PDB file of all heavy atoms in Angstrom:
ATOM      1  N   ASP A 147      10.463  15.162  31.863  1.00  0.00           N
ATOM      2  CA  ASP A 147      11.205  15.660  33.016  1.00  0.00           C
ATOM      3  C   ASP A 147      11.416  14.510  33.993  1.00  0.00           C
ATOM      4  O   ASP A 147      10.724  14.394  35.014  1.00  0.00           O
ATOM      5  CB  ASP A 147      10.426  16.805  33.700  1.00  0.00           C
ATOM      6  CG  ASP A 147      10.755  18.144  33.075  1.00  0.00           C
ATOM      7  OD1 ASP A 147      11.821  18.277  32.445  1.00  0.00           O
ATOM      8  OD2 ASP A 147       9.939  19.077  33.201  1.00  0.00           O
ATOM      9  N   VAL A 148      12.363  13.643  33.691  1.00  0.00           N
ATOM     10  CA  VAL A 148      12.656  12.493  34.543  1.00  0.00           C
ATOM     11  C   VAL A 148      14.176  12.430  34.728  1.00  0.00           C
ATOM     12  O   VAL A 148      14.934  12.812  33.837  1.00  0.00           O
ATOM     13  CB  VAL A 148      12.147  11.165  33.937  1.00  0.00           C
ATOM     14  CG1 VAL A 148      10.627  11.156  33.907  1.00  0.00           C
ATOM     15  CG2 VAL A 148      12.711  10.963  32.523  1.00  0.00           C
ATOM     16  N   PRO A 149      14.645  11.927  35.878  1.00  0.00           N
ATOM     17  CA  PRO A 149      16.084  11.840  36.099  1.00  0.00           C
ATOM     18  C   PRO A 149      16.685  10.567  35.500  1.00  0.00           C
ATOM     19  O   PRO A 149      16.057   9.506  35.542  1.00  0.00           O
ATOM     20  CB  PRO A 149      16.184  11.812  37.647  1.00  0.00           C
ATOM     21  CG  PRO A 149      14.912  11.160  38.082  1.00  0.00           C
ATOM     22  CD  PRO A 149      13.859  11.581  37.078  1.00  0.00           C
ATOM     23  N   HIS A 150      17.895  10.670  34.985  1.00  0.00           N
ATOM     24  CA  HIS A 150      18.555   9.512  34.362  1.00  0.00           C
ATOM     25  C   HIS A 150      19.014   8.497  35.396  1.00  0.00           C
ATOM     26  O   HIS A 150      19.314   7.349  35.045  1.00  0.00           O
ATOM     27  CB  HIS A 150      19.749   9.986  33.540  1.00  0.00           C
ATOM     28  CG  HIS A 150      20.906  10.451  34.367  1.00  0.00           C
ATOM     29  ND1 HIS A 150      20.934  11.701  34.953  1.00  0.00           N
ATOM     30  CD2 HIS A 150      22.079   9.847  34.727  1.00  0.00           C
ATOM     31  CE1 HIS A 150      22.048  11.835  35.633  1.00  0.00           C
ATOM     32  NE2 HIS A 150      22.764  10.731  35.514  1.00  0.00           N
ATOM     33  N   THR A 151      19.054   8.908  36.660  1.00  0.00           N
ATOM     34  CA  THR A 151      19.593   8.060  37.721  1.00  0.00           C
ATOM     35  C   THR A 151      18.570   7.093  38.310  1.00  0.00           C
ATOM     36  O   THR A 151      18.918   6.268  39.160  1.00  0.00           O
ATOM     37  CB  THR A 151      20.131   8.942  38.860  1.00  0.00           C
ATOM     38  OG1 THR A 151      19.102   9.858  39.267  1.00  0.00           O
ATOM     39  CG2 THR A 151      21.344   9.728  38.406  1.00  0.00           C
ATOM     40  N   ARG A 152      17.336   7.217  37.922  1.00  0.00           N
ATOM     41  CA  ARG A 152      16.282   6.366  38.442  1.00  0.00           C
ATOM     42  C   ARG A 152      15.808   5.410  37.334  1.00  0.00           C
ATOM     43  O   ARG A 152      16.074   5.626  36.159  1.00  0.00           O
ATOM     44  CB  ARG A 152      15.085   7.207  38.957  1.00  0.00           C
ATOM     45  CG  ARG A 152      15.445   8.155  40.092  1.00  0.00           C
ATOM     46  CD  ARG A 152      15.879   7.402  41.327  1.00  0.00           C
ATOM     47  NE  ARG A 152      16.093   8.285  42.471  1.00  0.00           N
ATOM     48  CZ  ARG A 152      17.267   8.801  42.824  1.00  0.00           C
ATOM     49  NH1 ARG A 152      18.361   8.502  42.121  1.00  0.00           N
ATOM     50  NH2 ARG A 152      17.365   9.582  43.885  1.00  0.00           N
ATOM     51  N   PRO A 153      15.107   4.344  37.709  1.00  0.00           N
ATOM     52  CA  PRO A 153      14.576   3.448  36.665  1.00  0.00           C
ATOM     53  C   PRO A 153      13.738   4.212  35.649  1.00  0.00           C
ATOM     54  O   PRO A 153      13.004   5.137  36.015  1.00  0.00           O
ATOM     55  CB  PRO A 153      13.720   2.447  37.467  1.00  0.00           C
ATOM     56  CG  PRO A 153      14.335   2.435  38.830  1.00  0.00           C
ATOM     57  CD  PRO A 153      14.791   3.853  39.076  1.00  0.00           C
ATOM     58  N   ILE A 154      13.860   3.850  34.381  1.00  0.00           N
ATOM     59  CA  ILE A 154      13.100   4.515  33.316  1.00  0.00           C
ATOM     60  C   ILE A 154      11.607   4.234  33.522  1.00  0.00           C
ATOM     61  O   ILE A 154      11.184   3.089  33.691  1.00  0.00           O
ATOM     62  CB  ILE A 154      13.537   3.994  31.939  1.00  0.00           C
ATOM     63  CG1 ILE A 154      15.002   4.382  31.659  1.00  0.00           C
ATOM     64  CG2 ILE A 154      12.615   4.497  30.833  1.00  0.00           C
ATOM     65  CD1 ILE A 154      15.246   5.856  31.457  1.00  0.00           C
ATOM     66  N   SER A 155      10.823   5.291  33.497  1.00  0.00           N
ATOM     67  CA  SER A 155       9.366   5.140  33.639  1.00  0.00           C
ATOM     68  C   SER A 155       8.783   4.517  32.367  1.00  0.00           C
ATOM     69  O   SER A 155       9.110   4.949  31.256  1.00  0.00           O
ATOM     70  CB  SER A 155       8.711   6.506  33.886  1.00  0.00           C
ATOM     71  OG  SER A 155       9.186   7.087  35.090  1.00  0.00           O
ATOM     72  N   ILE A 156       7.928   3.546  32.552  1.00  0.00           N
ATOM     73  CA  ILE A 156       7.251   2.863  31.433  1.00  0.00           C
ATOM     74  C   ILE A 156       5.747   3.005  31.616  1.00  0.00           C
ATOM     75  O   ILE A 156       5.210   2.762  32.699  1.00  0.00           O
ATOM     76  CB  ILE A 156       7.626   1.374  31.385  1.00  0.00           C
ATOM     77  CG1 ILE A 156       9.114   1.188  31.093  1.00  0.00           C
ATOM     78  CG2 ILE A 156       6.784   0.642  30.363  1.00  0.00           C
ATOM     79  CD1 ILE A 156       9.537   1.581  29.689  1.00  0.00           C
ATOM     80  N   PHE A 157       5.085   3.414  30.548  1.00  0.00           N
ATOM     81  CA  PHE A 157       3.622   3.541  30.558  1.00  0.00           C
ATOM     82  C   PHE A 157       3.033   2.579  29.551  1.00  0.00           C
ATOM     83  O   PHE A 157       3.358   2.629  28.356  1.00  0.00           O
ATOM     84  CB  PHE A 157       3.206   4.980  30.225  1.00  0.00           C
ATOM     85  CG  PHE A 157       1.729   5.194  30.194  1.00  0.00           C
ATOM     86  CD1 PHE A 157       0.956   5.014  31.338  1.00  0.00           C
ATOM     87  CD2 PHE A 157       1.101   5.589  29.024  1.00  0.00           C
ATOM     88  CE1 PHE A 157      -0.407   5.215  31.311  1.00  0.00           C
ATOM     89  CE2 PHE A 157      -0.274   5.791  28.979  1.00  0.00           C
ATOM     90  CZ  PHE A 157      -1.033   5.601  30.148  1.00  0.00           C
TER      91      PHE A 157
END
Side-chain angles (χ1 to χ4, degrees):
D147 273 338
V148 294
H150 72 281
T151 53
R152 299 296 186 265
I154 295 292
S155 299
I156 295 291
F157 179 63

